[in-house]
Amino acid sequence: MTPVLEIKGLRKEFKGFGLKNINISLNSGYIMGFIGPNGAGKSTTIKLIMNLLKKDEGEIRIFGMDNIKDEQEVKNRIGFVLDENYFYEELTVEEMKWVLAPVYKAWDEKTFKKYLKDFQLPPKKKIKELSKGMKMKFSLAIALSHNADLFIMDEPTSGLDPLVRSELLDILSEVIQDENKAVFFSTHITSDLDKIADYITMINQGEIILSMPKDDILNNYGLVKGGKELLDRDIRKSFVAIKENQFGFEGLAKDRKQAKKMFGDKVVIEKPTLEDVMLYYVRGNQNV
Amino acid sequence: MNIIISNSSDKPIYDQIAEQIKTHIINGDLKEAEMLPSIRNLAKELQISVITTKRAYEELEREGYIVSVPGKGSFVSAKNKELLKEARIRIVEEKLLEAVSTAKTVDISLDELQKMIEILYEEG
């Protein structure tokens, strides 16, 4: 099966920061969460996918097509939500829609109306009068109203209250009821992904740290807590990273079962959250 | 059909789902040839990953509880009585094991435990 989104050897250099050899592959029917701390390279990657930035090297294929050569065709089938606003502030919601709708071949006015109602977006209100959450909802309504096959969203949940966030997650699970559709979204609110994401790709300092099924992370990794006397050099090496305090240590192990075998009842081992995993990887790198 | 998953359990979610569907099949809540919810629908309803539900169904298929027909869906397989009986025995063993280990923590002897089971068995 051709991946819906495939990134190979992507590089982009900036002063003091760069994306180094990014590889990502996503098949249709799945949701991939793209996580990492602020400044890790999430938005840069997404801008490169959308051809809003010029890459230095590498290949980006969407629906099997080149993202630049076939930009028109590719973008018609992408529903995107970007972190920064790209609307005309002086227009009303309805006027802005009249600007955007003709851009898409498969614009679906009925669906758009439905989302306006669901999201309680006032059609006559000017964009600049909308709150941050409202603008996000407007972006979403546009993204969801042209029969896109791939949804690319940069921090769609930031600035939204928990209620709307949960609504969005429902919409995304609804989207992939159709196994020909896929969702790629970045966030630093990892609890959004603990539930519905199928795959997790984690980025830090411009590098992909891991990219795998979420279940494999949550079922295999373990948060190990115990006394500091248990730690020696080899044991330390077996952890992704270790945090120590006066009364003990807490570390992230890649293999929970192995840790259990190694330490037995001398430690407490818990299932990590995605946030735990992200924090340990990011902190671990800083320690080196 | 109820499926209740716990996020705090150490048991993987796919395992929890598979176990509960097995129980429903053994109890007869799910009848022979009955259609199961689609993996995508189940994932959506339970707010979990499609990969998780897929894995649960694969597990059930491997153990012979269900059959999946591409393009049609997944169905409870024709009853294999031996298989179901075995599964029931395994559940009994698991529960007994739990009872035994709890008994040991409060120093109940094997004799006492046997007597307890006898009484419970007669009453049931």
Side-chain angles (χ1 to χ4, degrees):
Chain A
M1 191 158 77
T2 318
V4 183
L5 174 65
E6 192 172 31
I7 303 178
K8 277 189 200 158
L10 181 66
R11 281 171 207 280
K12 173 78 186 169
E13 277 301 321
F14 293 106
K15 238 188 215 159
F17 172 76
L19 289 184
K20 304 155 202 144
N21 192 25
I22 301 290
N23 294 292
I24 293 171
S25 177
L26 172 63
N27 283 338
S28 64
Y30 296 108
I31 297 176
M32 181 181 277
F34 190 38
I35 63 175
N38 287 331
K42 298 191 296 288
S43 294
T44 306
T45 306
I46 286 179
K47 279 182 188 149
L48 288 165
I49 296 173
M50 296 305 298
N51 196 24
L52 300 170
L53 272 178
K54 210 168 155 327
K55 68 190 174 196
D56 292 343
E57 232 181 277
E59 198 184 357
I60 300 173
R61 299 194 81 80
I62 303 170
F63 314 117
M65 292 179 275
D66 188 86
N67 77 319
I68 298 172
K69 228 170 60 210
D70 300 304
E71 183 169 359
Q72 223 32 40
E73 159 112 46
V74 159
K75 281 196 175 166
N76 241 308
R77 292 169 62 193
I78 296 180
F80 62 95
V81 173
L82 296 180
D83 201 14
E84 289 150 40
N85 233 313
Y86 56 98
F87 300 128
Y88 302 126
E89 295 279 309
E90 288 300 323
L91 296 186
T92 66
V93 166
E94 198 165 32
E95 288 162 348
M96 191 67 219
K97 182 213 63 187
W98 285 119
V99 174
L100 291 169
V103 175
Y104 296 105
K105 269 191 212 144
W107 180 259
D108 181 349
E109 184 67 22
K110 223 176 103 193
T111 305
F112 181 73
K113 286 247 165 68
K114 181 187 155 287
Y115 280 120
L116 275 196
K117 227 174 109 197
D118 285 358
F119 292 160
Q120 295 175 319
L121 282 165
K124 304 273 181 248
K125 217 165 190 173
K126 279 190 181 169
I127 305 279
K128 66 174 179 191
E129 291 163 352
L130 299 178
S131 67
K132 192 171 178 221
M134 282 292 203
K135 278 182 192 161
M136 184 57 76
K137 285 177 169 180
F138 180 51
S139 289
L140 276 171
I142 299 276
L144 291 163
S145 300
H146 56 92
N147 288 301
D149 293 317
L150 171 63
F151 293 87
I152 294 181
M153 303 182 170
D154 194 8
E155 300 277 359
T157 53
S158 73
L160 298 183
D161 63 52
L163 216 73
V164 183
R165 264 171 39 214
S166 138
E167 240 175 272
L168 172 64
L169 298 184
D170 285 343
I171 290 170
L172 296 184
S173 5
E174 187 69 52
V175 161
I176 59 149
Q177 290 301 297
D178 180 346
E179 55 194 85
N180 297 313
K181 310 212 172 216
V183 178
F184 179 80
F185 85 97
S186 78
T187 183
H188 59 263
I189 308 171
T190 51
S191 60
D192 289 343
L193 298 165
D194 276 329
K195 287 182 185 162
I196 62 161
D198 297 301
Y199 294 93
I200 297 294
T201 296
M202 197 182 290
I203 187 171
N204 188 37
Q205 294 177 343
E207 276 180 275
I208 302 287
I209 301 171
L210 58 85
S211 188
M212 58 166 93
K214 182 200 67 192
D215 284 6
D216 288 355
I217 301 176
L218 299 185
N219 293 338
N220 296 336
Y221 281 67
L223 215 49
V224 181
K225 300 171 187 177
K228 280 195 282 192
E229 72 281 356
L230 297 169
L231 298 173
D232 65 28
R233 250 182 68 182
D234 284 339
I235 286 180
R236 277 176 195 276
K237 265 195 215 151
S238 72
F239 283 95
V240 170
I242 291 175
K243 196 170 76 181
E244 285 172 77
N245 65 49
Q246 250 180 296
F247 309 105
F249 81 92
E250 193 183 299
L252 183 72
K254 276 191 183 174
D255 189 337
R256 194 153 81 210
K257 286 199 188 89
Q258 201 197 340
K260 184 132 197 170
K261 247 187 245 158
M262 197 155 72
F263 295 113
D265 291 334
K266 283 181 263 178
V267 294
V268 176
I269 301 179
E270 289 171 351
K271 206 167 163 176
T273 61
L274 289 175
E275 186 168 301
D276 293 326
V277 176
M278 182 171 98
L279 288 177
Y280 274 94
Y281 268 107
V282 172
R283 205 163 25 210
N285 279 356
Q286 285 167 349
N287 286 344
V288 169
Chain B
M1 176 175 69
N2 288 331
I3 296 178
I4 314 292
I5 53 175
S6 156
N7 284 317
S8 53
S9 160
D10 195 45
K11 218 172 185 183
I13 292 171
Y14 76 88
D15 214 9
Q16 296 182 34
I17 295 171
E19 278 303 321
Q20 290 182 41
I21 291 180
K22 269 186 224 171
T23 309
H24 286 307
I25 293 174
I26 292 168
N27 292 344
D29 302 338
L30 279 171
K31 305 255 178 318
E32 188 181 323
E34 197 172 322
M35 190 168 157
L36 288 130
S38 77
I39 55 163
R40 289 184 186 276
N41 179 253
L42 189 60
K44 186 187 118 193
E45 292 300 316
L46 298 177
Q47 285 253 301
I48 53 175
S49 156
V50 175
I51 292 178
T52 312
T53 50
K54 211 171 174 175
R55 188 146 174 211
Y57 278 25
E58 279 165 7
E59 194 96 344
L60 289 165
E61 210 177 335
R62 204 171 41 240
E63 292 177 31
Y65 286 89
I66 65 170
V67 278
S68 294
V69 186
K72 289 256 157 66
S74 302
F75 305 86
V76 178
S77 48
K79 249 181 210 148
N80 179 340
K81 283 207 176 120
E82 279 309 302
L83 188 93
L84 294 187
K85 199 172 169 197
E86 243 172 62
R88 275 190 180 138
I89 291 173
R90 222 171 329 149
I91 291 176
V92 172
E93 276 175 359
E94 267 171 37
K95 302 241 153 135
L96 280 178
L97 192 69
E98 210 179 295
V100 168
S101 55
T102 312
K104 279 183 178 165
T105 61
V106 285
D107 287 332
I108 294 174
S109 72
L110 178 59
D111 240 18
E112 285 171 292
L113 189 63
Q114 273 169 343
K115 278 197 190 98
M116 281 165 85
I117 292 176
E118 265 169 46
I119 292 167
L120 288 171
Y121 197 94
E122 300 297 324
E123 278 179 357

